């Protein structure tokens, strides 16, 4: 129970990686606010946590909407009275080759993956500066280094790295850490949508010979959110079975 007594918000926690992270944080003793745009999925994740003996609350919130984000923090503080961990996991992809990408595809991905992380991180920073403690963990991606068909996604995830490093420098004196995790290729609803041929190509690029599981990423998050990681900030940590070196 490495997170006993801590309060966490996980965005995009209704399914996939976010759900895996929420379940793991709760298993380690954190009270978890499961936030997502998909209400039914958020409620189902909360039910699973509660059935396993953990504490959780579902809050429907769109990270790309500032008033939703403000309400998410208000409901969290009203329920649990403090905030120790924020995991900015919500993300989308709208892939297309650069010469075919629409402005709408560009704007949608930047709004959720980058502006959403800005809204969430800014609100967390205000609370955590006052408390003089807290961990912010942003989910970037191996794609931040550039990936064919993902100009919008790669730009958003590279933006998350810059935002994370800046936040880490600004918040360090206040005892607040901010780190980014770059998952490689993880088995979730997002990746299950790719054609079998693409799946095989992706897995062939992973030295460990398999796609990652949400728990593989969640284990790193538990560490970064724990007191053991109090001197680690501004880092970009790959969790990819050797895919990104
Ligand atoms: P997913 O599509 O399975 O789950 C994403 C969740 O975010 C969904 O529950 C969705 O409803 C929620 N969401 C979407 N837009 C939202 C919004 N505006 N506000 C709040 N919630 C919203 O995706 P997956 O694979 O679990 O990805 C999670 C994160 O990990 C994303 O940021 C993704 O970019 C990142 N990632 C995933 C990798 C993978 O291989 N699956 C690899 C690298 C990064």
């Amino acid at each position: 129970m490495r997170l006993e007594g801590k309060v966490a918000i996980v965005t995009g926690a209704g399914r996939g990686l976010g759900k895996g992270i929420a379940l793991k944080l709760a298993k380690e003793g954190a009270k978890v606010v499961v936030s997502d745009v998909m209400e039914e999925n958020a409620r189902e994740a909360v039910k699973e946590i509660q059935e396993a003996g953990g504490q959780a609350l579902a809050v429907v919130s769109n990270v790309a909407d500032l008033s939703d984000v403000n309400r998410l923090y208000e409901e969290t503080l009203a329920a649990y009275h403090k905030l120790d961990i924020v995991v900015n996991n919500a993300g989308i992809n709208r892939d297309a080759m650069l010469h075919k990408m629409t402005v709408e595809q560009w704007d949608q991905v930047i709004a959720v993956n980058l502006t959403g992380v800005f809204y969430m991180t800014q609100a967390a920073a205000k609370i955590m500066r006052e408390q003089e403690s807290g961990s912010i963990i942003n989910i970037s991606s191996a794609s931040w280094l550039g990936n064919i068909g993902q100009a919008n996604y790669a730009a958003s995830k590279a933006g998350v790295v810059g935002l994370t490093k800046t936040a880490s420098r600004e918040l360090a004196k206040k005892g607040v850490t901010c780190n980014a995790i770059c998952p490689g290729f993880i088995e979730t609803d997002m990746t299950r949508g790719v054609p079998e041929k693409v799946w095989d190509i992706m897995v062939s690029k992973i030295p460990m010979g398999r796609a990652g599981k949400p728990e593989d990423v969640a284990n790193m998050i538990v560490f970064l959110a724990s007191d053991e990681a109090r001197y680690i900030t501004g880092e970009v940590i790959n969790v990819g079975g050797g895919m990104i070196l």
Side-chain angles (χ1 to χ4, degrees):
M1 299 287 261
R2 283 183 288 170
L3 305 178
E4 184 110 59
K6 292 190 189 279
V7 175
I9 296 176
V10 184
T11 66
R15 71 174 202 189
L17 203 46
K19 184 175 179 179
I21 293 165
L23 291 172
K24 180 71 182 170
L25 294 183
K27 208 170 160 193
E28 293 288 343
K31 294 171 189 158
V32 182
V33 177
V34 172
S35 173
D36 207 291
V37 280
M38 306 291 284
E39 183 169 3
E40 210 170 301
N41 289 355
R43 296 204 188 289
E44 183 54 38
V46 165
K47 206 170 134 211
E48 275 184 46
I49 289 172
Q50 289 170 341
E51 280 170 4
Q55 286 190 66
L57 168 76
V59 177
V60 178
S61 172
N62 174 3
V63 295
D65 180 326
L66 185 55
S67 60
D68 265 21
V69 168
N70 288 335
R71 185 176 43 77
L72 168 61
Y73 281 88
E74 279 161 23
E75 289 189 28
T76 301
L77 293 177
Y80 297 132
H81 315 293
K82 65 170 187 146
L83 178 67
D84 303 293
I85 304 158
V86 171
V87 183
N88 288 313
N89 164 82
I92 59 169
N93 57 352
R94 298 285 183 270
D95 296 354
M97 293 297 279
L98 184 54
H99 62 284
K100 291 185 181 165
M101 187 171 285
T102 63
V103 172
E104 197 184 21
Q105 286 171 322
W106 173 269
D107 285 344
Q108 281 176 348
V109 169
I110 297 296
V112 176
N113 295 11
L114 183 55
T115 308
V117 177
F118 163 66
Y119 290 157
M120 287 293 302
T121 304
Q122 186 183 50
K126 286 177 186 169
I127 296 166
M128 290 174 175
R129 284 177 72 93
E130 289 287 311
Q131 280 180 181
E132 302 209 350
S133 67
S135 313
I136 302 167
I137 300 155
N138 294 330
I139 304 297
S140 179
S141 165
S143 295
W144 82 278
L145 295 162
N147 199 21
I148 290 171
Q150 293 198 309
N152 49 0
Y153 186 81
S156 72
K157 295 299 188 180
V160 165
V161 170
L163 170 58
T164 301
K165 285 183 178 286
T166 301
S168 74
R169 285 177 182 251
E170 290 188 7
L171 296 169
K173 280 223 165 64
K174 295 286 182 184
V176 179
T177 62
C178 185
N179 292 287
I181 292 185
C182 295
F185 189 62
I186 312 295
E187 205 178 324
T188 67
D189 298 278
M190 185 189 264
T191 50
R192 267 185 221 116
V194 306
E196 202 181 326
K197 212 172 122 195
V198 176
W199 179 277
D200 291 343
I201 292 169
M202 291 305 294
V203 170
S204 74
K205 291 181 185 164
I206 304 170
M208 284 195 174
R210 67 165 176 89
K213 297 199 177 302
E215 307 89 86
D216 295 322
V217 178
N219 288 334
M220 175 52 76
I221 293 192
V222 168
F223 171 64
L224 288 176
S226 74
D227 295 338
E228 290 160 16
R230 66 185 175 199
Y231 199 59
I232 299 170
T233 196
E235 294 294 342
V236 179
I237 299 164
N238 297 318
V239 180
M243 183 179 152
I244 332 132
L245 296 175

